[in-house]
Amino acid sequence: MPKRIVYWLAGIAVAAGILTVMPLFHVKSLESTRQQAVAAAFDPVAVVDSLWAGELRESINDATPLPELLAALRADPAAAAARYGRRLGLSGTAAYWVSGQGVVTAADDKAVEIAVDGAGDTGIVIRLGPVFGNAIRDGSALLDVNDFASTRDFNALSVEINRRVERDVLPDLAAGASVDRVIRFTGGVEIAEGDGAAATLEIVPYVVAFP
Amino acid sequence: MNTRQMTVRDWLARSQSLIALLLMVIAMSLLSESFLTAENGLNILRQISVNLCLSIGMTLIILSGGIDLSVGAILALSGAVAAGVLKNGIAIPALDILLQFTVPGAIAAGILTGLLLGWFNGTVITRFRLPPFVATLGMFSIARGLTMLWTGGFPITGLGATFGFIGTGLFLGVPMPVWIGAGLVAVFVVLTRKTRFGRYLYAVGGNERAALLTGLRVNNVKVWVYTLGGGLAGVAGLLVTARLDSAQPNAGLGYELDSIAAVVIGGTSLSGGRGTIMGTVLGCLIIGVLNNGLFLLNVSPFWQQVIKGFVIIAAVAIDKANSKSDDA
Amino acid sequence: MNFNRFTRRVLVLCALAGLALGGCSGDDAGSGEAASDGPKRVAVVVSTLNNPWFVVLAETARDRAAELGYEATIFDSQNDPAKESAHYDNIIASGYSAILFNPTDADGSVANVRRAADAGIPVFCMDREINATDVAVSQIISDNYSGAVAVGRYFVEAVGETGKYVELLGLVGDNNTWNRSTGFHSVVDRYEGLEMVAQQSADFDRARALEVLEAVLQANPDIDAVFAGNDAMAMGAYQALVAAGKADTVKVFGFDGADDVVRLIAEGKIAATAMQFPKVMARTAAESADRYVNGERDFQQKMPVAVELVTPANVGKYGDFGRRQE
């Protein structure tokens, strides 16, 4: 019997020794781990913040003037899409980065309609209310899907960009738009294949000004 | 006289499997160039290592006259627990602490889960006198449900290279799962052949009533056997999780059938008392060679299932004939 | 006595082995291994063959690879990463030239692709992505999120800004389930008038969707619409509504672009679905593999394939898992 007790004690001592060198678990503070996890996760807000103030602002001058784009689309939609548009992977839709100047023809709480100089018959609409889609993300050609680990993160960027538009751009537009006022804008637009000669184009604005 | 007959029949059962295996190996190497290569051989050994762990445990259980339908479910839960505590730790909000498990801790947690569930099986079977089929069927459902609860239906991924080593690492050019399987085989061959516990096991399986009358603590043996089976299922769960670098909520589905097949093909009698660990190893090898060879020959995986079914039937038929001559 | 039986059994085993030999060599004489001579081999690993959409994906990939001169074999992972891993083991050991891969799990499958890449076998992902950008050669993935956003926007147009709806989710552990649900909700949740009265998983299965919706209708008889995470569930939901006599008052929205749903959209019975393009993805993957084998190395890591909204207005353009002219 005593031998057994000796074996047991020896076993416990060895186990204790191993456990101090190679512990089974560490005790950590719950709060600090949670904060660490939040900090390590993908943060679309940070990416969009730096983009909004930086590269997007700089690319205002790269925007294609709407009359030029529309003329090209009417002439040869496929070539126009290839030259001015940006497709995400294999898509039937291309996104464009455009600018235009014109006169407000109608404004209510749902949308603002604009007659853009040189746009001919095509009506230009900027919708007020929730913003969806990837017009600015893809049209600006500043974000590459390959730079992000998962498309979930890439899509989160669109959500954040749209949120910024709703928060920073649309209120000014809604406040300032009234019929016959001159308006200048730069923004993104998505045009599906075969819709090149559409009657209206919906613009998602990045910047809007009433000169 | 009786012991001599038993060893001769054991040898017969074992040689049948061995002969079948040799025939298959010869056939496959003639039909496919890539079969008899070192890389493919290691491939086969690696692929059978999970089934081997489960089958060793199943051999012990079947030797004792029982059966365990829950090993696949225990595999899944053990793997999930290990992955969960490694990746997320255990949070105790009341004390505002997080127990962040290390890799050895996660491994211990996984094996402990298996041992615990196996112990539960054994206790229910001995304490409440439930038939093993029914008790382990219940555990199957319980463990599957617990796995779903623990994982929330999602896989737990991203477990790190250290943990992954036991599933994907190489030691002296041989995959780690093969080493672990071989180590377990060695341990349990010694256990069944050289220890008192092994003799008790065969006695209980061969004739439980007689064993009870000679004063053997039959219930004790049975609880141990199911506990060990659960622990081995836990090891198997760790191997699967480490190999995939993720704990899948549906891991191990159908694995119990494969392990029973390996045990039976290896010559162990389903009524208990007859069989060896080495026989089970052969059974695993036969299934592994069969799967691998048929794959290399571009035979559809569905045909593989059909053929495996026939092999099981043939093996059990031979086993029945063996036990008939036992009574004669 | 024993030895006679023993000899008999050995003979039986020999006979079985002989049969196996005969049968196998009959089918596969010459085909199978020898990667040194004979056509190059391509493996198509698909997550499941239980769903016709994936069957189309796998078979198109196989057929295109065959057209390009490869011997292509389809491997079914049965939605199980362990089986997928075993397939990879076998593929790596057998000298395949490329893998066209439909992953079972965005995180779990990364290890498998890494092993293949380390063994020098290029992997091209189809339809689903893996959460790593440095192991696969190229990933041709379905942009489920944006497709679901489009469905969500049409949903608001068709149902209005107030109403009650039910959402049927797919397999809970599947990335696509959540991509679609999140995309849909990113639109619909902006309209407070639209209330989701129930959200249940029907496992992407038609029969389950029927049962689930029937049960939901018991508790919530006045709904205006159902959004199903895939077309099989949309069909099941539609059948439940027909049985309850509500097919005219409740609008059904699906996802995938399956034939039967497209037909019902043309007949005005189902409101909309989103067309994925399995054939485009499969063909692109096969062609990329071919270009890689012939030396090209410049591939886009991620190539999203847009998912297009199919409504009664444009349903004429679609059919047969793609645009009609295909």
Side-chain angles (χ1 to χ4, degrees):
Chain A
M1 279 316 111
K3 225 188 190 180
R4 248 195 167 181
I5 297 178
V6 171
Y7 282 153
W8 269 104
L9 285 175
I12 293 174
V14 169
I18 297 180
L19 284 181
T20 26
V21 176
M22 198 173 60
L24 290 184
F25 52 79
H26 301 293
V27 180
K28 292 204 184 140
S29 151
L30 196 54
E31 252 320 293
S32 69
T33 335
R34 225 174 257 159
Q35 283 169 357
Q36 271 179 352
V38 165
F42 177 71
D43 186 13
V45 178
V47 176
V48 172
D49 276 346
S50 90
L51 195 78
W52 194 270
E55 292 152 313
L56 267 180
R57 188 145 289 278
E58 288 159 27
S59 71
I60 289 180
N61 297 324
D62 298 332
T64 317
L66 262 175
E68 189 184 322
L69 177 63
L70 289 170
L73 279 170
R74 285 190 202 113
D76 185 351
R83 182 157 170 226
Y84 298 106
R86 205 185 164 225
R87 281 182 207 282
L88 180 67
L90 301 171
S91 304
T93 310
Y96 304 82
W97 189 234
V98 295
S99 64
Q101 173 163 317
V103 170
V104 177
T105 55
D108 57 20
D109 57 353
K110 287 269 195 279
V112 172
E113 288 172 40
I114 305 172
V116 171
D117 308 333
D121 292 330
T122 311
I124 306 297
V125 168
I126 302 182
R127 285 206 192 284
L128 303 168
V131 179
F132 303 111
N134 307 316
I136 292 185
R137 184 193 74 185
D138 294 342
S140 67
L142 293 170
L143 289 167
D144 186 353
V145 66
N146 294 301
D147 292 336
F148 300 91
S150 94
T151 51
R152 223 178 318 152
D153 297 340
F154 196 59
N155 287 322
L157 291 173
S158 255
V159 172
E160 181 57 24
I161 291 176
N162 294 341
R163 211 187 56 83
R164 287 295 293 258
V165 171
E166 287 168 26
R167 197 189 72 188
D168 296 343
V169 185
L170 292 183
D172 295 340
L173 176 64
S178 54
V179 183
D180 289 337
R181 200 150 172 209
V182 176
I183 181 173
R184 241 208 325 250
F185 59 84
T186 305
V189 60
E190 288 180 293
I191 304 178
E193 214 168 8
D195 278 356
T200 35
L201 287 183
E202 260 184 55
I203 311 273
V204 176
Y206 166 63
V207 69
V208 159
F210 298 97
Chain B
M1 197 55 178
N2 261 343
T3 13
R4 180 89 73 73
Q5 271 186 340
M6 211 154 78
T7 28
V8 163
R9 250 178 236 112
D10 275 347
W11 188 83
L12 282 180
R14 230 186 302 161
S15 342
Q16 279 155 2
S17 314
L18 194 54
I19 290 171
L21 181 64
L22 286 172
L23 284 173
M24 274 202 302
V25 169
I26 294 173
M28 300 299 180
S29 20
L30 289 176
L31 288 171
S32 165
E33 287 181 355
S34 12
F35 183 77
L36 216 53
T37 63
E39 194 189 357
N40 195 47
L42 284 178
N43 225 6
I44 296 176
L45 288 177
R46 188 179 353 107
Q47 284 176 346
I48 65 169
S49 49
V50 169
N51 195 21
L52 191 58
C53 290
L54 291 177
S55 306
I56 293 173
M58 189 66 77
T59 312
L60 298 177
I61 293 172
I62 293 182
L63 278 177
S64 78
I67 190 103
D68 189 345
L69 298 178
S70 62
V71 287
I74 296 179
L75 180 159
L77 187 55
S78 308
V81 165
V85 300
L86 182 63
K87 180 120 192 254
N88 307 320
I90 298 183
I92 306 178
L95 300 169
D96 194 33
I97 52 168
L98 179 75
L99 296 174
Q100 183 59 57
F101 275 68
T102 55
V103 171
I107 294 176
I111 299 181
L112 193 64
T113 311
L115 289 170
L116 218 60
L117 293 169
W119 175 84
F120 188 83
N121 271 337
T123 310
V124 165
I125 290 171
T126 52
R127 198 60 61 86
F128 300 112
R129 314 277 178 86
L130 278 178
F133 188 93
V134 172
T136 57
L137 192 59
M139 172 55 76
F140 171 84
S141 206
I142 293 172
R144 282 279 157 211
L146 287 175
T147 311
M148 280 301 177
L149 284 172
W150 177 268
T151 61
F154 290 95
I156 303 176
T157 56
L159 306 171
T162 330
F163 182 74
F165 184 74
I166 62 171
T168 57
L170 295 176
F171 183 65
L172 300 178
V174 172
M176 276 307 290
V178 177
W179 286 111
I180 294 173
L184 289 170
V185 166
V187 165
F188 283 91
V189 162
V190 166
L191 184 79
T192 50
R193 277 203 231 171
K194 302 283 185 213
T195 65
R196 220 171 354 149
F197 179 78
R199 282 200 292 283
Y200 290 170
L201 182 60
Y202 279 101
V204 166
N207 190 334
E208 189 173 325
R209 191 111 189 88
L212 196 58
L213 289 173
T214 60
L216 260 182
R217 281 143 77 197
V218 167
N219 280 352
N220 212 346
V221 170
K222 284 195 179 176
V223 169
W224 265 109
V225 148
Y226 283 96
T227 309
L228 286 172
L232 283 163
V235 173
L238 291 173
L239 286 180
V240 170
T241 306
R243 181 123 182 86
L244 297 180
D245 191 36
S246 74
Q248 297 290 326
N250 280 325
L253 266 179
Y255 283 27
E256 37 276 309
L257 297 178
D258 271 339
S259 72
I260 295 174
V263 170
V264 155
I265 293 174
T268 301
S269 165
L270 277 173
S271 43
R274 237 178 348 100
T276 63
I277 298 283
M278 287 311 294
T280 302
V281 172
L282 268 176
C284 288
L285 275 171
I286 288 178
I287 296 179
V289 166
L290 197 62
N291 282 339
N292 179 270
L294 291 176
F295 167 87
L296 288 174
L297 294 174
N298 255 340
V299 175
S300 151
F302 304 129
W303 271 116
Q304 292 174 25
Q305 270 187 292
V306 173
I307 295 175
K308 189 162 71 182
F310 274 112
V311 173
I312 295 174
I313 292 177
V316 176
I318 293 172
D319 167 65
K320 280 228 100 162
N322 265 342
S323 62
K324 271 220 184 93
S325 58
D326 220 352
D327 301 332
Chain C
M1 211 32 183
N2 277 338
F3 275 93
N4 268 348
R5 220 169 255 158
F6 172 63
T7 339
R8 237 186 294 151
R9 282 184 206 126
V10 173
L11 287 173
V12 165
L13 283 170
C14 285
L16 279 173
L19 271 170
L21 259 167
C24 287
S25 54
D27 280 338
D28 299 304
S31 80
E33 354 60 51
S36 39
D37 38 299
K40 294 219 167 84
R41 294 186 303 156
V42 161
V44 176
V45 182
V46 70
S47 61
T48 175
L49 286 176
N50 230 355
N51 183 329
W53 193 92
F54 287 100
V55 175
V56 169
L57 184 75
E59 290 186 350
T60 314
R62 180 196 58 193
D63 295 341
R64 189 79 186 104
E67 275 171 37
L68 292 167
Y70 299 89
E71 208 184 280
T73 323
I74 297 180
F75 296 91
D76 180 5
S77 305
Q78 295 173 34
N79 274 330
D80 183 358
K83 291 213 173 66
E84 180 187 281
S85 187
H87 286 316
Y88 264 79
D89 283 341
N90 289 327
I91 290 170
I92 293 173
S94 319
Y96 278 81
S97 306
I99 302 177
L100 305 180
F101 184 38
N102 174 237
T104 52
D105 183 71
D107 289 313
S109 300
V110 174
N112 289 334
V113 178
R114 186 160 284 135
R115 275 191 296 139
D118 290 342
I121 305 179
V123 176
F124 300 85
C125 293
M126 303 188 288
D127 174 49
R128 293 182 182 161
E129 62 174 350
I130 51 172
N131 289 340
T133 48
D134 57 343
V135 280
V137 174
S138 180
Q139 304 186 39
I140 300 124
I141 55 200
S142 228
D143 194 354
N144 281 306
Y145 180 90
S146 302
V149 167
V151 172
R153 295 174 82 174
Y154 184 71
F155 183 93
V156 175
E157 263 179 64
V159 175
E161 291 184 19
T162 50
K164 296 188 182 166
Y165 68 95
V166 174
E167 183 182 358
L168 294 174
L169 294 169
L171 288 165
V172 168
D174 186 342
N175 268 353
N176 280 334
T177 302
W178 298 106
N179 285 340
R180 294 171 196 178
S181 181
T182 317
F184 179 78
H185 281 286
S186 78
V187 178
V188 173
D189 286 354
R190 301 298 300 274
Y191 298 90
E192 283 134 17
L194 287 169
E195 186 194 341
M196 180 172 74
V197 296
Q199 182 191 54
Q200 298 270 0
S201 168
D203 293 346
F204 285 142
D205 181 65
R206 182 169 176 154
R208 267 205 64 66
L210 182 81
E211 288 168 11
V212 168
L213 192 62
E214 269 177 349
V216 170
L217 283 174
Q218 292 294 331
N220 299 287
D222 300 310
I223 55 172
D224 301 297
V226 176
F227 172 57
N230 83 336
D231 277 345
M233 295 194 297
M235 285 303 293
Y238 179 70
Q239 284 170 334
L241 291 169
V242 166
K246 293 193 195 287
D248 293 329
T249 52
V250 179
K251 296 193 163 62
V252 178
F253 297 78
F255 203 100
D256 258 355
D259 261 350
D260 41 10
V261 169
V262 170
R263 227 175 316 122
L264 287 181
I265 292 179
E267 292 171 25
K269 295 182 178 160
I270 288 191
T273 185
M275 174 65 73
Q276 297 198 66
F277 294 94
K279 294 190 178 178
V280 169
M281 290 192 283
R283 281 205 208 108
T284 313
E287 285 158 17
S288 304
D290 180 43
R291 280 159 44 205
Y292 186 96
V293 168
N294 289 328
E296 193 178 317
R297 288 293 179 270
D298 180 31
F299 291 92
Q300 279 262 8
Q301 172 65 209
K302 298 221 183 190
M303 266 208 282
V305 175
V307 174
E308 292 181 14
L309 182 67
V310 180
T311 64
N314 65 2
V315 68
K317 282 203 287 183
Y318 298 99
D320 197 25
F321 291 105
R323 303 253 185 77
R324 216 161 253 294
Q325 44 283 29
E326 298 181 55

